[in-house]
Coordinates of all heavy atoms in Angstrom, one line a residue:
Chain B
V11 N 3.5 25.5 -62.6 CA 3.5 25.0 -61.3 C 3.7 26.2 -60.3 O 4.7 26.9 -60.5 CB 4.7 24.0 -61.0 CG1 4.5 23.3 -59.7 CG2 4.8 23.1 -62.2
E12 N 2.8 26.3 -59.4 CA 2.9 27.3 -58.4 C 3.3 28.7 -59.0 O 4.3 29.3 -58.6 CB 3.9 26.9 -57.3 CG 3.4 25.8 -56.5 CD 4.4 25.3 -55.4 OE1 5.5 26.0 -55.2 OE2 4.2 24.3 -54.8
K14 N 4.7 29.4 -61.6 CA 5.9 29.4 -62.5 C 5.6 28.7 -63.8 O 5.3 27.5 -63.7 CB 7.1 28.8 -61.7 CG 8.4 28.8 -62.5 CD 9.6 28.3 -61.7 CE 10.8 28.2 -62.6 NZ 11.8 27.4 -62.0
I16 N 6.4 26.7 -66.8 CA 7.5 25.8 -67.1 C 7.5 25.3 -68.5 O 8.5 25.2 -69.2 CB 7.5 24.6 -66.1 CG1 7.8 25.2 -64.7 CG2 8.6 23.6 -66.4 CD1 7.6 24.3 -63.5
G34 N 17.7 16.8 -72.6 CA 17.7 18.3 -72.3 C 18.3 18.6 -70.9 O 18.4 17.7 -70.1
P35 N 18.7 19.8 -70.8 CA 19.4 20.2 -69.5 C 18.5 20.0 -68.3 O 17.3 19.9 -68.4 CB 19.8 21.6 -69.7 CG 18.9 22.1 -70.8 CD 18.5 20.9 -71.7
N36 N 19.1 20.0 -67.1 CA 18.4 19.9 -65.9 C 17.4 21.1 -65.8 O 17.8 22.2 -66.1 CB 19.3 20.0 -64.7 CG 20.0 18.6 -64.5 OD1 19.5 17.6 -64.8 ND2 21.3 18.7 -64.1
G37 N 16.2 20.9 -65.3 CA 15.3 21.9 -65.1 C 14.6 22.4 -66.4 O 13.9 23.4 -66.4
A38 N 14.8 21.7 -67.5 CA 14.2 22.1 -68.7 C 12.7 21.9 -68.7 O 12.0 22.6 -69.5 CB 14.8 21.3 -69.9
G39 N 12.2 21.0 -67.9 CA 10.8 20.7 -67.9 C 10.4 19.3 -68.3 O 9.2 19.0 -68.6
K40 N 11.4 18.4 -68.4 CA 11.1 17.0 -68.8 C 10.2 16.3 -67.9 O 9.2 15.7 -68.3 CB 12.5 16.3 -69.0 CG 13.5 17.0 -69.9 CD 14.7 16.2 -70.1 CE 15.6 16.0 -68.8 NZ 16.1 17.3 -68.2
S41 N 10.5 16.3 -66.6 CA 9.6 15.7 -65.6 C 8.3 16.3 -65.6 O 7.2 15.7 -65.5 CB 10.2 15.7 -64.2 OG 11.4 14.9 -64.2
T42 N 8.3 17.6 -65.7 CA 7.0 18.4 -65.7 C 6.1 17.9 -66.8 O 4.9 17.7 -66.6 CB 7.3 19.9 -65.8 OG1 8.1 20.3 -64.7 CG2 6.0 20.7 -65.9
L43 N 6.7 17.7 -68.0 CA 5.9 17.2 -69.1 C 5.2 15.9 -68.8 O 4.0 15.7 -69.0 CB 6.8 17.0 -70.3 CG 6.1 16.4 -71.6 CD1 5.0 17.3 -72.1 CD2 7.2 16.1 -72.7
Y45 N 4.4 14.8 -65.8 CA 3.4 15.1 -64.8 C 2.2 15.7 -65.4 O 1.0 15.4 -65.0 CB 3.9 16.0 -63.7 CG 5.0 15.3 -62.8 CD1 6.0 16.1 -62.2 CD2 5.0 14.0 -62.6 CE1 7.0 15.5 -61.4 CE2 6.0 13.4 -61.8 CZ 7.0 14.1 -61.2 OH 8.0 13.6 -60.5
Y53 N -0.2 20.8 -61.3 CA 0.4 21.1 -62.6 C -0.7 21.6 -63.5 O -1.5 20.8 -63.9 CB 1.2 19.9 -63.1 CG 2.4 19.6 -62.4 CD1 2.4 19.0 -61.1 CD2 3.7 19.9 -62.9 CE1 3.5 18.8 -60.4 CE2 4.8 19.7 -62.2 CZ 4.8 19.1 -60.9 OH 5.9 18.9 -60.2
Q85 N 10.7 9.2 -62.1 CA 12.2 9.5 -61.8 C 12.5 9.1 -60.4 O 13.5 8.5 -60.2 CB 12.4 10.9 -62.1 CG 13.9 11.3 -62.0 CD 14.2 12.7 -62.4 OE1 13.3 13.5 -62.8 NE2 15.5 13.1 -62.3
D170 N 10.7 8.3 -67.2 CA 11.4 9.5 -66.8 C 12.7 9.1 -66.1 O 12.8 8.7 -65.0 CB 10.6 10.3 -65.8 CG 11.1 11.7 -65.5 OD1 12.2 12.0 -66.1 OD2 10.5 12.5 -64.8
E171 N 13.8 9.2 -66.9 CA 15.1 8.9 -66.4 C 15.2 7.5 -65.7 O 15.7 7.4 -64.6 CB 15.7 10.0 -65.4 CG 15.8 11.3 -66.1 CD 16.7 12.3 -65.3 OE1 17.6 11.8 -64.7 OE2 16.6 13.5 -65.5
V201 N 12.7 9.7 -71.5 CA 13.5 10.8 -71.0 C 14.8 10.4 -70.5 O 14.9 9.5 -69.6 CB 12.7 11.6 -69.9 CG1 13.6 12.7 -69.3 CG2 11.4 12.1 -70.4
H203 N 19.2 11.5 -69.8 CA 20.4 12.4 -69.9 C 21.5 11.8 -70.7 O 22.4 12.5 -71.1 CB 20.9 12.7 -68.5 CG 20.3 13.9 -67.8 ND1 20.3 15.1 -68.4 CD2 19.6 13.9 -66.7 CE1 19.6 15.9 -67.5 NE2 19.2 15.2 -66.5
L219 N 14.6 19.1 -75.3 CA 13.7 20.0 -74.6 C 14.5 21.0 -73.8 O 15.4 20.6 -73.0 CB 12.8 19.2 -73.7 CG 11.8 19.9 -72.8 CD1 10.8 20.7 -73.6 CD2 11.1 18.9 -71.9
Ligands
LIG1 N1 6.5 21.9 -57.5 C1 7.3 22.8 -58.1 N2 7.3 24.0 -57.6 C2 8.0 25.0 -58.1 N3 8.8 24.8 -59.2 C3 8.9 23.5 -59.7 C4 8.1 22.5 -59.2 N4 8.4 21.4 -59.9 C5 9.3 21.7 -60.8 N5 9.6 23.0 -60.7 C6 10.6 23.7 -61.5 O1 10.2 23.5 -62.9 C7 11.4 23.4 -63.6 C8 11.4 22.1 -64.4 O2 11.6 21.0 -63.6 P1 11.6 19.5 -64.1 O3 10.4 19.3 -65.0 O4 11.7 18.6 -62.9 O5 12.9 19.5 -65.0 P2 13.7 18.3 -65.6 O6 13.0 17.0 -65.3 O7 13.8 18.6 -67.0 O8 15.1 18.3 -64.9 C9 12.6 23.5 -62.7 O9 13.0 24.9 -62.7 C10 12.0 23.2 -61.3 O10 12.6 23.9 -60.3

Side-chain angles (χ1 to χ4, degrees):
Chain B
V11 189
E12 292 178 8
K14 183 175 172 194
I16 295 169
N36 285 327
K40 302 182 297 296
S41 293
T42 301
L43 175 63
Y45 293 151
Y53 289 74
Q85 184 174 359
D170 193 358
E171 297 201 26
V201 173
H203 272 300
L219 177 60

